[in-house]
Amino acid sequence: MSHAVSQPHGSGPLTPFKSCLGGNSKIPNVYWGALSNDQLRHNSSFVALPPVDTLRVRGHTTYRYVRQEHELWSALHAGVLTTSRLPLALGLREQGAASAIKGPWGRDGLQTAYAHLVADPWSPPPRDTPTSSGSSGSSSGSSAPGGGSFEEAEEEAHNEAVRALYNATLAASTSAAAAYCEDDKRRVSELLSLRGTTAVRLFWGTVQEPSSLTVMLQLFPHAVLEEVGMYCLGSERASEQYGVGRYGVGELPTLGASPDAVIRHRLAVTAGDVAEGCAVLREGAGAGGGDEEAGVGGGAHVGLAAWLRPAAGAGGGSRGGGEALLHSVAEAILRRALGGALQPQTAGGALTVGSSSSSSSDGSSGSSVGGGRGAGSNGLSLRRTWACSVREVADALRAAAADAGFATAAAAAAATAADGGSGSDASRVIAWVDVREAVEVKNHCPFAFKGQRKAKKGGLHLEYRMSDPGPMASVRPAWVPQLQMHCLATGVPSVLLLSRSASKGVRLYRVERDDAYIERMLDCLRLLQVEHVNPRRPPNSDLFSDMPGYADLLDHTNAIAKRASVVLDVAGSGLVAPRGTDANAFWEGRAGKSKK
């Protein structure tokens, strides 16, 4: 979600605006095609977070309900290692490492991360004391760091109820969403133009996020986007995902990630899927025999064996015997269904989305909120993870495996379909399973500075030009730690990364969770935490230079970026501009008008 703040329409500018530029200036309209956060929240396929003052914000698990543009969200970052500082803490801004992954570098990256981690974390107000950061909790006792206490569960239930009520109210509302104030749009554009191209590009990347999320809803109309704040992991919760004793209490910093949104797909699990899964279970096929890079590109037509991964629990924790294979097969069924849901088709230059696994048989939306958010969050907590979805499919497999009649009938139907028959029973949907993925948006600014000259009466003529680079040709290795932390903190199997150009379309990538990489990251963070943060001893810039396996981390970073799947590529003409946004890319110099 966008962190940009501007006066909404109707509130009026802070002061009357008077331009200092010459009349022939050509400055970028940084709000070109931009929706406000409020306009996005009024989208019927978007599940919004409620105002902060209606929430109970105390323990880490409640941070995910705080809107990202609110000042409290910024305050919650104190002492938490979030994705913005993660590359610093991993030493990836040091010259040698940055060169290896072809990323940006700078001085004192590790020292900057250290200084942030030793800062005092945000402290909630005393219980039962109303504050600007949320309503007071009614329960007593302290909440445990990392989540999981009774008090946090009660506060989380309160926040979920408020979230559902807020979205139901939005769905019933007939009032118009608040857009950006016209005078403020001109004021901000001019001030940024005076500061230079870098300032324009930084602001563009943020203010365009709501419009980019609207594009995601165009691409996947049967899915639902959900607004999220910061997902926060204490060292205890991170350790749970990698086996008891993998990391001790206090051996990792508190970790946080704030994806731009999460997208929720409703995937169909058919009788044929379950029959095929039962066959794999009966044969005892070795988990992990499939292609580790099968990914989205394989599609729903690929046999289940190609989607099998090493038999392991979510996050890499091992399970024993047949239970490990059961969950591995359940994951394969969901990954294949997800691959089918993420294959939009193009026809005649116009964008259409073929997502049969996300639509019910009667043609209605497969959205888990009934084609919108009229049902609020539909009882689906923000705590739900990939592991929850896998358990649902595993339960269906377990029940089917115990029912010899079902397995025989479904297998026969699948064989009939393979021979050219209807296979109607094999395609029968026996369960709809909600699966979430994180969404990360990269907006690419189309403006570049061209020149300036003096104007009359001490004014200044500025001129910018259009210089749209188009979507990124590949995923940058420097983005990989952020995307993998999104997977860890939110508990999702993958991230959809949208690279969006203002005029040349979009390219959508899918980056899958890589548990081996996450463990390597955490090993580095453990060294920083145990050897430097805990004893309050600032690190040197060569902290990781002699660490066993650090070179492998750098190679692994490049490998993940290289194997990111391109889900779709859409030209600018294939997208519909969001309604209610500015259509002109540039402002005139002195008048308050815009021009193409």
Side-chain angles (χ1 to χ4, degrees):
M1 286 288 290
S2 172
H3 313 156
V5 178
S6 180
Q7 295 293 100
H9 178 71
S11 63
L14 300 176
T15 58
F17 175 66
K18 183 178 180 180
S19 175
C20 68
L21 296 179
N24 293 325
S25 290
K26 185 179 180 182
I27 62 172
N29 178 7
V30 294
Y31 293 90
W32 177 30
L35 289 171
S36 69
N37 287 327
D38 194 55
Q39 288 172 305
L40 175 61
R41 291 186 180 114
H42 276 72
N43 190 304
S44 61
S45 294
F46 188 80
V47 180
L49 290 177
V52 171
D53 59 6
T54 64
L55 299 171
R56 294 175 182 170
V57 183
R58 299 191 64 82
H60 291 150
T61 60
T62 63
Y63 293 4
R64 68 192 66 173
Y65 298 95
V66 178
R67 293 176 174 179
Q68 293 186 28
E69 79 265 25
H70 196 276
E71 60 184 6
L72 176 60
W73 178 81
S74 297
L76 296 176
H77 284 63
V80 177
L81 184 60
T82 56
T83 54
S84 62
R85 292 181 174 86
L86 180 59
L88 303 179
L90 293 173
L92 299 181
R93 292 291 189 265
E94 306 304 323
Q95 188 170 5
S99 177
I101 65 171
K102 297 180 175 61
W105 71 279
R107 299 181 183 278
D108 304 324
L110 275 164
Q111 290 79 7
T112 300
Y114 165 82
H116 176 77
L117 290 174
V118 298
D120 292 333
W122 177 80
S123 178
R127 205 171 288 272
D128 298 318
T129 301
T131 71
S132 60
S133 63
S135 60
S136 62
S138 60
S139 59
S140 60
S142 61
S143 56
S149 72
F150 173 79
E151 291 83 1
E152 278 196 11
E154 184 177 354
E155 288 157 354
E156 199 168 357
H158 166 86
N159 293 340
E160 283 291 340
V162 170
R163 175 173 172 255
L165 177 61
Y166 177 71
N167 282 278
T169 302
L170 279 179
S173 174
T174 58
S175 60
Y180 291 113
C181 172
E182 287 298 315
D183 274 355
D184 274 347
K185 288 193 291 187
R186 173 59 197 268
R187 178 203 311 273
V188 171
S189 295
E190 180 166 321
L191 291 175
L192 291 170
S193 298
L194 289 167
R195 291 173 58 187
T197 304
T198 299
V200 170
R201 288 177 176 172
L202 290 173
F203 188 84
W204 176 271
T206 297
V207 79
Q208 293 292 329
E209 285 177 11
S211 293
S212 294
L213 294 176
T214 302
V215 168
M216 286 292 294
L217 291 173
Q218 285 187 50
L219 302 179
F220 302 108
H222 298 302
V224 173
L225 280 179
E226 298 174 292
E227 182 180 6
V228 295
M230 183 201 302
Y231 280 82
C232 209
L233 284 174
S235 61
E236 301 87 348
R237 290 188 61 201
S239 183
E240 286 173 7
Q241 299 195 47
Y242 292 95
V244 177
R246 181 73 171 87
Y247 303 101
V249 176
E251 289 188 349
L252 290 173
T254 301
L255 306 172
S258 300
D260 293 320
V262 294
I263 188 169
R264 181 171 8 127
H265 311 276
R266 173 155 281 195
L267 304 179
V269 176
T270 66
D273 292 331
V274 174
E276 192 176 356
C278 288
V280 173
L281 292 172
R282 286 196 303 271
E283 295 167 4
D291 182 1
E292 188 68 18
E293 299 184 16
V296 167
H301 64 280
V302 177
L304 193 61
W307 295 87
L308 285 173
R309 300 292 179 85
S318 61
R319 293 189 181 94
E323 194 70 10
L325 180 58
L326 177 69
H327 281 79
S328 183
V329 172
E331 285 188 340
I333 289 173
L334 282 181
R335 287 185 185 278
R336 183 170 65 175
L338 190 58
L342 295 176
Q343 294 189 86
Q345 307 295 320
T346 57
L351 177 72
T352 59
V353 179
S355 184
S356 59
S357 61
S358 298
S359 301
S360 60
S361 58
D362 63 1
S364 62
S365 169
S367 163
S368 57
V369 289
R373 43 87 183 289
S377 57
N378 197 37
L380 201 65
S381 166
L382 285 179
R383 182 186 286 269
R384 180 187 175 91
T385 64
W386 168 250
C388 301
S389 303
V390 171
R391 279 196 296 269
E392 289 183 12
V393 179
D395 290 343
L397 281 170
R398 190 180 289 108
D403 185 348
F406 168 83
T408 301
T416 299
D419 292 336
S422 65
S424 58
D425 189 66
S427 61
R428 176 173 55 87
V429 176
I430 63 173
W432 292 97
V433 180
D434 290 293
V435 172
R436 284 185 171 123
E437 294 183 282
V439 174
E440 182 64 27
V441 171
K442 303 296 183 183
N443 292 302
H444 310 296
C445 181
F447 304 116
F449 180 72
K450 184 176 181 180
Q452 69 180 52
R453 57 187 173 84
K454 291 183 179 180
K456 295 180 180 180
K457 298 181 180 180
L460 184 68
H461 285 295
L462 283 182
E463 186 173 4
Y464 280 73
R465 61 183 175 87
M466 185 68 71
S467 180
D468 193 340
M472 295 297 297
S474 61
V475 172
R476 292 178 178 173
W479 295 342
V480 168
Q482 176 194 33
L483 303 178
Q484 292 298 319
M485 186 58 71
H486 283 344
C487 291
L488 173 64
T490 61
V492 298
S494 49
V495 179
L496 290 177
L497 187 150
L498 183 72
S499 174
R500 177 173 173 248
S501 153
S503 63
K504 297 183 179 179
V506 301
R507 184 170 292 119
L508 184 68
Y509 295 93
R510 185 169 185 256
V511 178
E512 295 193 23
R513 173 174 176 149
D514 190 313
D515 289 307
Y517 183 83
I518 291 174
E519 287 193 40
R520 281 179 166 147
M521 285 201 306
L522 296 184
D523 285 343
C524 292
L525 298 180
R526 181 187 180 278
L527 176 63
L528 176 64
Q529 183 75 18
V530 172
E531 299 295 328
H532 298 279
V533 176
N534 289 346
R536 296 298 192 267
R537 187 171 61 244
N540 295 322
S541 59
D542 61 351
L543 172 63
F544 299 119
S545 60
D546 296 326
M547 179 182 178
Y550 188 69
D552 295 333
L553 173 72
L554 301 179
D555 291 340
H556 204 161
T557 301
N558 289 324
I560 291 174
K562 185 176 181 179
R563 69 169 181 254
S565 304
V566 178
V567 180
L568 61 86
D569 216 334
V570 184
S573 59
L575 296 172
V576 179
R579 288 181 296 178
T581 62
D582 289 0
N584 298 320
F586 292 93
W587 295 97
E588 292 181 354
R590 191 172 296 280
K593 300 178 181 178
S594 58
K595 62 181 178 182
K596 293 183 179 179

